[in-house]
Amino acid sequence: MRWNDLALANCAELSPTPAGQRPQRYPSPVIAALSERGRIAAVKPANVELRWVPNDPAAEVEITLASEGLTKAVAFFGAFVHGDVHRIVSGEPVTLRLAPPERYGQLIDRLPRCNGFGPRVGRLMFWGDDLDLIDAVGDVRPPTPPELPARRLLTYGTSITHGASCSAPHLTYPSQLARLLGMDLINLGLGGSCLCEPEVADYIAGRGDWDVAVFALSVNMIGQGFSLDAFRERVAHLVHHTAATHPDKPIFCVTIWPYFADLDRSMQPAATAEPEAFRDALRGVVADCPAGRVTLLEGPELLADFAGLTTDLLHPSDLGFVEMAHGLADAMRPAIG
């Protein structure tokens, strides 16, 4: 998608607001079918990116943004982090002025292509509350396909996939995993609302712009009182439908990450069964998948260090996200080449 002279990645639609244009990671008809919490999460910019290429390597771009709460932004040139994390807080719009530093510009033609990105590509990655794009000014153009990763990774899951508790946008496990695999990222995580609605399943299966998918399913359904049968039915529709529609694309299903209810189920009173029973239901869905290239991965093996969680004993810390991303990458490489 294009906005002004920049490209907008991990965005399905722009909706107008009084301040500007708000990126949505899902199209409006799908958002309408989500739970109330899902409708809120779908317009939060989890790993949404603005991208540009300066026509003059030293040219500056000015990007003006506003947030309805707190949005974090981290800039890159190519795969190289540029500067500190920017904090865009509710109130007056903020203008970020971004240009490659002198040393980078002098060596830009000698820099390698890293993680799939050409070194001239400017990137601004977001995470946090609702974001409004107001203006962009500069002698820039959108990147071309040869300047971007050749393959795309699609991730769907709970707040852990969304990136809750990360200290910066690029430290979510989907972002780190995409970097390790040299892929571009489509992050469809929905904080608190990964409920595998049929509309979400149909939307993901209907997309043709991804090459590899990771489905982390789903502690939210335990917390909201889904029965094992209802969990199994929704998860099976997502996995089987997507696999049947894309039989040649690798799909990885991750059982529920370790969390507090593994220690004491009574801490989750709405749960209809032990977490392990829901993990076993996902194992059965994968085993019964009639088509496609579907692989089961065990969340507790990928995050084996329980201290990788924060003190809420649910969401990983930055260190936990690192462990998850590396574990996923190691497990996925043999199947994806």
Side-chain angles (χ1 to χ4, degrees):
M1 178 176 292
R2 185 164 174 164
W3 175 69
N4 289 6
D5 292 323
L6 287 69
L8 191 55
N10 192 32
C11 177
E13 188 176 310
L14 283 170
S15 59
T17 70
Q21 299 285 318
R22 181 162 298 171
Q24 301 177 177
R25 291 178 296 121
Y26 286 80
S28 293
V30 178
I31 291 176
L34 301 177
S35 66
E36 180 179 359
R37 191 166 182 178
R39 293 193 294 272
I40 294 171
V43 296
K44 293 189 181 298
N47 296 127
V48 170
E49 284 192 31
L50 286 171
R51 295 175 177 171
W52 65 94
V53 176
N55 290 314
D56 174 342
E60 181 180 76
V61 63
E62 295 185 359
I63 301 172
T64 303
L65 311 158
S67 174
E68 285 202 350
L70 169 63
T71 302
K72 299 177 183 179
V74 62
F76 295 79
F77 284 95
F80 299 85
V81 175
H82 174 62
D84 297 327
V85 176
H86 302 276
R87 296 168 61 88
I88 305 159
V89 298
S90 180
E92 293 297 317
V94 172
T95 298
L96 304 180
R97 295 171 175 84
L98 303 170
E102 183 178 359
R103 180 185 300 159
Y104 188 95
Q106 290 172 345
L107 296 174
I108 199 165
D109 291 326
R110 302 183 190 182
L111 290 172
R113 181 187 181 95
C114 297
N115 310 130
F117 288 95
R120 292 178 179 269
V121 178
R123 304 162 55 202
L124 190 61
M125 182 190 295
F126 303 103
W127 196 92
D129 292 314
D130 297 10
L131 177 73
D132 290 328
L133 310 177
I134 298 174
D135 197 14
V137 179
D139 183 19
V140 299
R141 60 169 175 82
T144 60
E147 296 170 305
L148 300 173
R151 295 192 291 177
R152 287 183 173 180
L153 171 71
L154 184 149
T155 60
Y156 173 64
T158 67
S159 56
I160 297 171
T161 301
H162 190 122
S165 75
C166 67
S167 62
H170 60 306
L171 297 180
T172 68
Y173 88 77
S175 180
Q176 294 193 62
L177 177 59
R179 180 184 64 83
L180 291 169
L181 298 177
M183 295 185 180
D184 216 342
L185 177 61
I186 303 166
N187 187 353
L188 297 180
L190 292 173
S193 49
C194 174
L195 305 181
C196 297
E197 293 93 342
E199 294 83 359
V200 171
D202 294 344
Y203 172 63
I204 291 174
R207 291 185 67 145
D209 60 348
W210 56 272
D211 299 279
V212 179
V214 175
F215 300 150
L217 308 171
S218 160
V219 72
N220 296 153
M221 299 174 78
I222 301 180
Q224 298 188 31
F226 277 71
S227 68
L228 279 171
D229 286 342
F231 175 89
R232 190 178 295 108
E233 179 181 0
R234 285 199 175 190
V235 167
H237 178 59
L238 169 65
V239 176
H240 294 182
H241 183 27
T242 306
T245 308
H246 302 279
D248 296 326
K249 295 182 179 182
I251 298 169
F252 298 88
C253 296
V254 184
T255 62
I256 294 163
W257 308 103
Y259 75 114
F260 60 84
D262 287 311
L263 305 178
D264 185 350
R265 178 185 161 189
S266 68
M267 300 291 288
Q268 200 166 32
T272 60
E274 298 286 346
E276 193 60 24
F278 287 90
R279 294 187 181 106
D280 199 49
L282 181 57
R283 295 180 188 117
V285 166
V286 172
D288 294 340
C289 192
R293 299 169 58 189
V294 183
T295 301
L296 181 82
L297 300 176
E298 297 288 352
E301 295 177 5
L302 297 170
L303 183 58
D305 184 359
F306 208 75
L309 300 176
T310 60
T311 53
D312 71 0
L313 301 180
L314 174 63
H315 298 102
S317 65
D318 290 343
L319 295 175
F321 280 136
V322 169
E323 181 181 352
M324 293 158 66
H326 280 270
L328 281 163
D330 290 345
M332 292 166 62
R333 285 191 183 104
I336 65 177

